[in-house]
Amino acid sequence: MTGEQRASEPPGAGGATQARGLPLHTSVLAAARAGARIAALLAALLGALSLTGWIADTDALKSPLPGVEVSMKANTALAVLTLGLSLFLVVGRPVGGRTLATARLAALPALLIGGLTVLEYLTGTGLGLDELLFDDDTAGVGTGTPGRMSPNTAAALTLGGAASLSASAPRAPAWTSQIPGLAVLALGMLRLYGAAYAVTELERFGPYTGMALHTAIALVLLGTAAFLARPDEGPAGLLMNAGTTGALGRRLFATVLVVPPLLGWGVLAGEDADLFGPRLGTALLVAGHVAVFTAVVLAASAVGRRIEEAHARAEWQVRQNELLQAFMDHTPAVVFIKDLEGRFLAVNTTFEASTGLSRDQVMGLRDEEVLPPGLARQARAADLAMLSRGAPVQREELIELPEGDRDVLSSLFPLNDADGKPYAVCGVITDITERVAAQREVHRARRRFLSLLESAPDATLITDGHGTIVMANAQVERLFGLAPGDLVGHDVVRLVPRARRRRHSALLSAYLRLRDPRPTVVDRDLYGRRPDGTEFPVEVSVSRLQAEQETLVVLTVRDITERRLAEAARAERYEQHRHIAYTLQHSLMGDPPRLPHLPSAHRYLASVQDPGVGGDWFDVIPLGERRTGVIVGDVMGRGLEAAAVMGQLRAASHALARTGATPSRLMTALDAFVSDLADQLVTCVYLVMDQDADEVTLCSAGHLPVIALPPDGAARRLRTPVGVPLGVNDLGGGVPFEEATQPLPPGSTLVLYTDGLVERPGTDIEVQIDVLTDTLDLALKGAPADPELLDLAADRLITTLLPDPAAHDDDVTLLMIRVPGPEGEDACG
């Protein structure tokens, strides 16, 4: 905020970049800082030049100005150099870091050298400081101790070092660096005045060493840099502000620095012509004028500043009034300000639109001169009531207007002066007709909602997002034995048995954590509790309702005790029917004979779906002369009808096999039998094992391949032509059934099965058959011919292919047959 006063605060409340609220001129500040840096840098260069002369022992550098015999001492040159660098870094108010530390460190040599030299003059003793750096061979041209700077130079360096340290401290007041800077400037100017007016008394004090002319120039530059190091604060801020006082101050200050020396020079010129008195008196007079004019400039700037502050406050007040009027005009409500007598002082555009009168027509008039008589009396009575109360008043009221009644919200409050006494009345009238109508509609909707809630046949509870009941209907008392009013404010788990409350709370919390929860019904393992401790099963419908910023949960609770009793009775009847059906299927399938010369193991798992029976069957048929027939079939579909067809096919296939029919002839006969049945489809595989010939002949009617595990190899599928399922060929003939004969070495194991073992949704049946083959290989390869091992292998196949046997939805049939080996192995078996 360097270019203009903030509109939101009066003058005098500005930040640190202002001199007590006055605006600062950016270009003036930039020029002041640039000038301060240049002055500090030039002073440092003078110090460096003289110090170089001491190092090189060159008199021309020790006293570079022509005709000047007094040189800058080595200590002075060092102090001027470091002080100039310090002020160069300080300008712009460094706030921290290495720059600030370097500036402070560079100011210390000037402060120490100057201070110790002043101490030497005051005590009359030598501290060994004067020729610490170099032996002074210029002492002959001056007086005093060799190497010691003049007392006025020492004082100026001490003040300059203190000014630089103060300027580098952001919290230190600006005047603590600017006043010492002016003192340094004055000491340097005194020496320059002495040179200009040929007054040797201003060069040295008494018998002490005099100040070198270029030292004086350096001090003038250092004093200027110290004064302008912080140009936006303190006395410098008075000169740099953008107002008239700043401009006046800068002009007066320049006048003080230029005019008195010129006048003094003129006076001395007259004295040289024997027109005036002694030179010394004139020189001192000029110096006094400079000091006085400087004080005058600062005093005039301070007065001008107060004038500008008053002017700025007036402008700010006008601006605030304009902002207030703009705010009122952009407010949709009717806004007015009246004095204590009821005369209008200010109105907004909404007031003008409501009354049809312009602002100029309304100003100074009373209520009865602007408003209808009845409304004017009502308004004046409200003003007087508020003033007598002494506090703001807000109320909703209905006012009668020619165009119709309107609901309004009126706010009246007093405007008080600095003593707290009211001097005006401000009113804000807001038309809330639409809002009141909306509230009435909300109330009607709430009443309709409550009526709907009470008419619900089930107990309904509404809770907040934390499970606290906020509303309940009358049916709650019938179900839980507690009045709705007794439940409001309590946690809903109060209606749950204590042992089940944690689970119920977890279910409700999980529902609320869903991103987009949908209405759901939960009736599994939920219970309610009455005050007498009675527990009963319930069904709860849960839904979420977003009401404004609040999440509500609607719970509809129903007693399902009778439903649970009916379900239990139905489950008992179902289990009875299932047992009857399973018994029927078992009787139809029968138990295959266990042949002593042919170890086997089988598993049958009925479908878990109703009615728990199906159309799978298998049979082992002795054919004589070490020949055995084996059949596995699957009637498509489930239920009693499939089981009945299965029973007929099992009986027919058993009879046909005992007649000695070959596998292909048996399959052709069964196909004709199935074709006589309506809408039936059957897959089947029949094989005949000849242990004397060590071979097996098989025929497949659309069935899954048979798995064989030879004694000396890996398990594999038996290659055989796969025909169409039974029931596909028509009566006129169709695709013939082909049979194939494969070697069957002694010690081999055959695995026959139905699709319930390997067919799963989302899986490849071929992959599942490969899993069956690999599992058989792992379970029996290299194992001895032990019937118990065959039985364990059957369990392993079932658990591998059916991870969850209780969830399978199709019949599962598995038959494993081991062909015995040589006589010795048989004996072992």
Side-chain angles (χ1 to χ4, degrees):
M1 191 181 66
T2 58
E4 59 181 15
Q5 178 68 33
R6 288 187 296 186
S8 61
E9 61 183 26
T17 61
Q18 291 180 323
R20 296 185 179 274
L22 290 177
L24 299 176
H25 203 292
T26 305
S27 61
V28 173
L29 287 178
R33 292 191 177 96
R37 284 178 173 267
I38 292 172
L41 187 59
L42 290 176
L45 290 176
L46 283 175
L49 186 64
S50 295
L51 189 60
T52 303
W54 283 99
I55 296 173
D57 195 19
T58 304
D59 293 336
L61 296 179
K62 296 178 184 178
S63 181
L65 298 178
V68 178
E69 297 179 346
V70 180
S71 64
M72 184 185 293
K73 302 299 182 182
N75 290 349
T76 304
L78 177 62
V80 169
L81 172 61
T82 58
L83 184 56
L85 294 176
S86 175
L87 289 172
F88 180 81
L89 297 175
V90 162
V91 173
R93 295 188 62 189
V95 295
R98 296 182 179 179
T99 302
L100 179 61
T102 303
R104 291 176 176 174
L105 185 63
L108 289 179
L111 183 64
L112 292 176
I113 292 173
L116 293 176
T117 303
V118 170
L119 183 62
E120 287 180 326
Y121 279 114
L122 292 177
T123 60
T125 60
L127 301 177
L129 178 69
D130 304 321
E131 294 184 295
L132 180 63
L133 299 177
F134 304 98
D135 293 333
D136 187 8
D137 56 355
T138 65
V141 299
T143 60
T145 306
R148 181 174 297 179
M149 67 183 69
S150 64
N152 46 348
T153 302
L157 291 176
T158 304
L159 292 172
S164 182
L165 288 176
S166 180
S168 65
R171 296 185 179 180
W175 63 265
T176 58
S177 62
Q178 294 171 356
I179 298 302
L182 290 176
V184 174
L185 175 64
L187 289 172
M189 291 298 296
L190 279 176
R191 174 63 180 89
L192 295 179
Y193 292 155
Y197 303 142
V199 179
T200 58
E201 287 83 353
L202 295 180
E203 175 185 347
R204 62 170 55 87
F205 293 91
Y208 303 112
T209 301
M211 181 188 294
L213 185 58
H214 51 296
T215 301
I217 295 174
L219 292 179
V220 171
L221 294 172
L222 292 173
T224 302
F227 182 75
L228 296 178
R230 292 160 65 172
D232 53 347
E233 298 179 71
L238 295 174
L239 299 178
M240 300 301 160
N241 73 76
T244 57
T245 57
L248 177 62
R250 291 190 293 274
R251 287 173 173 79
L252 289 176
F253 198 82
T255 302
V256 167
L257 292 178
V258 175
V259 174
L262 291 177
L263 291 176
W265 178 82
V267 170
L268 289 177
E271 288 180 350
D272 289 340
D274 295 329
L275 298 176
F276 303 105
R279 294 191 177 199
L280 179 59
T282 302
L284 292 176
L285 179 61
V286 172
H289 285 172
V290 172
V292 171
F293 286 151
T294 302
V296 170
V297 169
L298 294 177
S301 298
V303 173
R305 173 188 160 192
R306 287 195 295 271
I307 295 173
E308 284 192 313
E309 284 183 342
H311 179 67
R313 280 195 294 270
E315 289 183 343
W316 179 84
Q317 188 62 50
V318 171
R319 178 60 177 162
Q320 294 304 303
N321 292 339
E322 293 175 351
L323 291 175
L324 177 60
Q325 186 63 52
F327 169 75
M328 291 170 55
D329 289 340
H330 288 83
T331 301
V334 173
V335 182
F336 59 83
I337 299 176
K338 296 183 286 188
D339 63 13
L340 300 183
E341 300 300 324
R343 289 184 290 266
F344 286 98
L345 301 178
V347 296
N348 68 344
T349 53
T350 309
F351 186 97
E352 293 177 317
S354 300
T355 59
L357 299 174
S358 67
R359 189 171 304 165
D360 295 335
Q361 292 176 305
V362 172
M363 292 298 105
L365 300 181
R366 290 185 169 88
D367 291 327
E368 58 270 19
E369 299 173 291
V370 176
L371 304 175
L375 185 58
R377 289 192 297 271
Q378 184 180 354
R380 185 57 183 165
D383 294 346
L384 295 175
M386 185 275 297
L387 290 173
S388 64
R389 181 178 178 182
V393 175
Q394 186 179 71
R395 62 182 179 181
E396 293 185 10
E397 53 187 335
L398 179 68
I399 60 174
E400 299 179 359
L401 297 176
E403 61 271 17
D405 296 345
R406 306 295 292 180
D407 292 292
V408 299
L409 175 65
S410 63
S411 300
L412 294 175
F413 52 92
L415 300 179
N416 300 326
D417 57 18
D419 297 329
K421 295 181 180 180
Y423 65 88
V425 175
C426 183
V428 180
I429 310 298
T430 306
D431 190 339
I432 58 172
T433 304
E434 288 77 10
R435 190 180 76 183
V436 171
Q439 289 177 345
R440 294 194 185 105
E441 182 59 31
V442 169
H443 292 322
R444 285 194 293 269
R446 179 177 176 83
R447 288 194 297 270
R448 288 195 296 268
F449 172 75
L450 292 176
S451 299
L452 180 63
L453 183 66
E454 293 299 332
S455 63
D458 296 319
T460 304
L461 300 161
I462 300 178
T463 73
D464 61 14
H466 303 287
T468 302
I469 300 173
V470 298
M471 190 179 298
N473 65 355
Q475 282 70 23
V476 170
E477 185 172 6
R478 175 183 58 79
L479 184 62
F480 292 100
L482 293 171
D486 296 336
L487 293 176
V488 174
H490 292 275
D491 200 305
V492 71
V493 296
R494 175 186 179 186
L495 303 176
V496 178
R498 188 176 301 276
R500 304 175 185 269
R501 290 179 180 178
R502 177 176 297 180
R503 179 178 181 274
H504 284 58
S505 297
L507 289 174
L508 181 59
S509 299
Y511 176 79
L512 291 175
R513 284 195 300 269
L514 296 176
R515 177 172 297 180
D516 186 19
R518 299 179 180 273
T520 185
V521 178
V522 183
D523 62 353
R524 187 173 181 179
D525 199 25
L526 294 183
Y527 290 85
R529 178 182 178 274
R530 297 187 178 91
D532 60 0
T534 305
E535 298 182 11
F536 55 95
V538 296
E539 174 190 89
V540 180
S541 298
V542 188
S543 60
R544 191 173 73 171
L545 175 65
Q546 193 69 32
E548 296 180 353
Q549 301 299 322
E550 184 180 14
T551 300
L552 300 178
V553 180
V554 181
L555 304 173
T556 302
V557 187
R558 175 178 298 177
D559 187 347
I560 57 172
T561 301
E562 295 182 359
R563 184 198 302 176
R564 286 286 183 261
L565 294 176
E567 289 175 351
R570 187 165 57 252
E572 183 178 358
R573 289 194 301 271
Y574 170 81
E575 192 59 34
Q576 291 175 352
H577 293 166
R578 180 183 174 87
H579 179 71
I580 293 172
Y582 190 78
T583 303
L584 173 62
Q585 182 181 22
H586 186 72
S587 63
L588 291 174
M589 180 181 294
D591 286 328
R594 290 188 175 273
L595 306 178
H597 64 278
L598 199 65
S600 65
H602 65 270
R603 296 291 184 271
Y604 175 77
L605 301 178
S607 169
V608 298
Q609 296 186 2
D610 288 343
V613 294
D616 285 7
W617 90 93
F618 67 94
D619 197 2
V620 179
I621 309 165
L623 301 178
E625 299 179 358
R626 292 173 58 83
R627 296 176 67 252
T628 307
V630 180
I631 189 169
V632 170
D634 182 4
V635 179
M636 299 302 169
R638 287 186 295 271
L640 293 176
E641 183 180 359
V645 173
M646 174 272 294
Q648 298 178 58
L649 289 176
R650 182 178 185 277
S653 60
H654 190 90
L656 289 171
R658 293 302 295 268
T659 63
T662 64
S664 59
R665 291 181 59 190
L666 183 142
M667 207 65 69
T668 301
L670 288 180
D671 183 50
F673 179 81
V674 174
S675 296
D676 292 336
L677 303 176
D679 299 327
Q680 292 294 331
L681 191 67
V682 180
T683 65
C684 181
V685 60
Y686 174 61
L687 59 86
V688 176
M689 294 185 298
D690 190 340
Q691 293 178 251
D692 290 332
D694 294 333
E695 62 183 15
V696 58
T697 302
L698 64 165
C699 182
S700 174
H703 203 75
L704 298 171
V706 177
I707 308 299
L709 175 64
D712 55 354
R716 58 182 176 83
R717 306 182 191 186
L718 285 181
R719 293 190 300 273
T720 182
V722 179
V724 297
L726 304 179
V728 172
N729 291 323
D730 55 18
L731 295 178
V735 180
F737 295 97
E738 300 179 11
E739 62 183 45
T741 301
Q742 297 286 344
L744 186 64
S748 298
T749 302
L750 298 179
V751 177
L752 294 86
Y753 52 94
T754 58
D755 58 0
L757 181 65
V758 294
E759 189 174 22
R760 293 288 177 275
T763 62
D764 188 343
I765 191 170
E766 293 295 328
V767 174
Q768 293 295 97
I769 294 174
D770 290 339
V771 172
L772 173 63
T773 304
D774 295 341
T775 305
L776 175 65
D777 206 34
L778 293 174
L780 290 179
K781 187 174 182 179
D786 189 345
E788 293 185 1
L789 292 179
L790 199 63
D791 206 55
L792 293 175
D795 290 335
R796 184 170 180 177
L797 292 179
I798 291 294
T799 56
T800 300
L801 293 168
L802 297 177
D804 186 11
H808 65 93
D809 59 354
D810 195 5
D811 301 343
V812 176
T813 299
L814 173 66
L815 176 62
M816 300 179 65
I817 298 176
R818 183 70 174 263
V819 179
E823 291 299 327
E825 185 177 324
D826 288 343
C828 293

